[in-house]
Amino acid sequence: MTALDQPVTRTAYQQSVADYWNAEKDPVNLRLGDVDGLYHHHYGLGDYDPAVLDAPEDRRDQAIIDEMHRLETAQADVLLDHLGPIGPADRLLDAGCGRGGTSVMAHQRFGCQVDGISISEQQVGFANEHVRQRGIDGSVRYHLRNMLDTGFESGVFQGIWNNESTMYVDLHDLFAEHARQLKPGGRYVTITGCYNDVTGGRSRAVSQIDQHYICNIHARGDYFKALSDNGFVPINVVDLTAATIPYWELRERSSVATGVEKPFLTAYREGSFHYLLIAADRV
């Protein structure tokens, strides 16, 4: 039986994650995406413009939404900056693509084919309709597949990324699959939250984040061990923690706050949680 013949979700946990995202219609994702049609499922980077908080009352909420979306799009740009040289003939994989915003940005930047995968049927349908409306569905395609066993051929991708999606899977299984799919010398990039294993196990704030998103945040050191075990050599590691705190401070003051802002800010400020970018080459 091939990967495509099997059910997309292989465990009860994976099905619970799929159910969560199939039902999700959170304004923090949808209203921000409505700004310019790039729908993200990740957080932001950089300082926000404090002037948005002083906008007239009838425009303040939208000004904050616009600024949060600018910060989350900046995050995706930082990830794409680390993919290395990509040409129009190359092929990229967005593993855990959400509603597809980073995939669209990658195609716009590099002009290449991009495949996105998610175990959420709702996300895949939304993303495919969106690229059809943009007229780029011949180059950007989304698939209902499991990132641990995608069914794609071996060695076909020049670059693969996970943008805040590694906390839903076993890292060794994930990086083994990525290593199979990447060309030799291909680049893998992830931006992820990870708990600080120097200070011990998961803090209370990190556990609250896990509970909110039904995820399993990994220790920082687990990433490097799993990458090494699967033939990856890190070429760039960037601590983005300080750069993401302003996004959370602004989000906490927005109309789309979900209540998870306080655990994120607490975990980042106390040092129990890091926001990390890792770029690694397959050798």
Side-chain angles (χ1 to χ4, degrees), residues 22-95:
N22 281 332
E24 183 270 336
K25 293 181 174 60
D26 201 317
V28 77
N29 294 317
L30 294 173
R31 279 198 62 195
L32 271 64
D34 287 343
V35 171
D36 62 4
L38 288 174
Y39 291 85
H40 298 301
H41 279 271
H42 57 254
Y43 310 128
L45 288 177
D47 293 326
Y48 65 83
D49 182 355
V52 300
L53 297 173
D54 298 322
E57 186 174 354
D58 62 334
R59 298 200 301 273
R60 186 179 309 139
D61 183 57
Q62 189 58 49
I64 292 172
I65 295 294
D66 292 348
E67 187 67 352
M68 288 172 60
H69 183 63
R70 183 184 69 81
L71 298 180
E72 65 175 3
T73 297
Q75 188 264 25
D77 272 324
V78 168
L79 186 153
L80 297 176
D81 287 344
H82 286 81
L83 280 173
I86 302 293
D90 289 322
R91 189 175 173 190
L92 300 174
L93 176 63
D94 183 352

Side-chain angles (χ1 to χ4, degrees), residues 26-213:
D26 201 317
V28 77
N29 294 317
L30 294 173
R31 279 198 62 195
L32 271 64
D34 287 343
V35 171
D36 62 4
L38 288 174
Y39 291 85
H40 298 301
H41 279 271
H42 57 254
Y43 310 128
L45 288 177
D47 293 326
Y48 65 83
D49 182 355
V52 300
L53 297 173
D54 298 322
E57 186 174 354
D58 62 334
R59 298 200 301 273
R60 186 179 309 139
D61 183 57
Q62 189 58 49
I64 292 172
I65 295 294
D66 292 348
E67 187 67 352
M68 288 172 60
H69 183 63
R70 183 184 69 81
L71 298 180
E72 65 175 3
T73 297
Q75 188 264 25
D77 272 324
V78 168
L79 186 153
L80 297 176
D81 287 344
H82 286 81
L83 280 173
I86 302 293
D90 289 322
R91 189 175 173 190
L92 300 174
L93 176 63
D94 183 352
C97 61
R99 288 185 173 93
T102 309
S103 299
V104 173
M105 290 176 62
H107 172 69
Q108 290 174 335
R109 180 187 291 210
F110 303 118
C112 64
Q113 181 177 336
V114 184
D115 292 283
I117 55 174
S118 171
I119 59 172
S120 165
E121 188 172 1
Q122 188 273 338
Q123 289 183 342
V124 170
F126 183 102
N128 275 323
E129 175 60 20
H130 179 63
V131 293
R132 187 192 66 77
Q133 293 174 1
R134 282 181 174 263
I136 58 173
D137 50 316
S139 300
V140 183
R141 302 181 184 92
Y142 301 95
H143 313 267
L144 187 65
R145 299 190 186 183
N146 192 311
M147 71 171 80
L148 300 181
D149 187 13
T150 67
F152 289 119
E153 295 178 5
S154 298
V156 295
F157 294 105
Q158 181 61 34
I160 299 175
W161 69 84
N162 286 96
N163 198 353
E164 296 181 12
S165 54
T166 54
M167 62 285 299
Y168 290 102
V169 295
D170 179 89
L171 292 178
H172 282 271
D173 292 345
L174 177 68
F175 296 153
E177 179 69 347
H178 286 346
R180 181 189 69 78
Q181 298 171 106
L182 274 173
K183 296 178 179 179
R187 176 69 55 83
Y188 171 69
V189 182
T190 185
I191 295 182
T192 188
C194 49
Y195 75 81
N196 184 358
D197 37 7
V198 172
T199 58
R202 292 177 183 82
S203 66
R204 179 184 178 188
V206 170
S207 296
Q208 289 172 326
I209 297 168
D210 269 344
Q211 184 176 15
H212 183 90
Y213 289 112

Side-chain angles (χ1 to χ4, degrees), residues 79 82-83 187-190 227 233-238 277-281:
L79 186 153
H82 286 81
L83 280 173
R187 176 69 55 83
Y188 171 69
V189 182
T190 185
L227 285 167
V233 177
I235 190 170
N236 214 331
V237 180
V238 185
L277 179 147
I278 305 170
D281 287 342

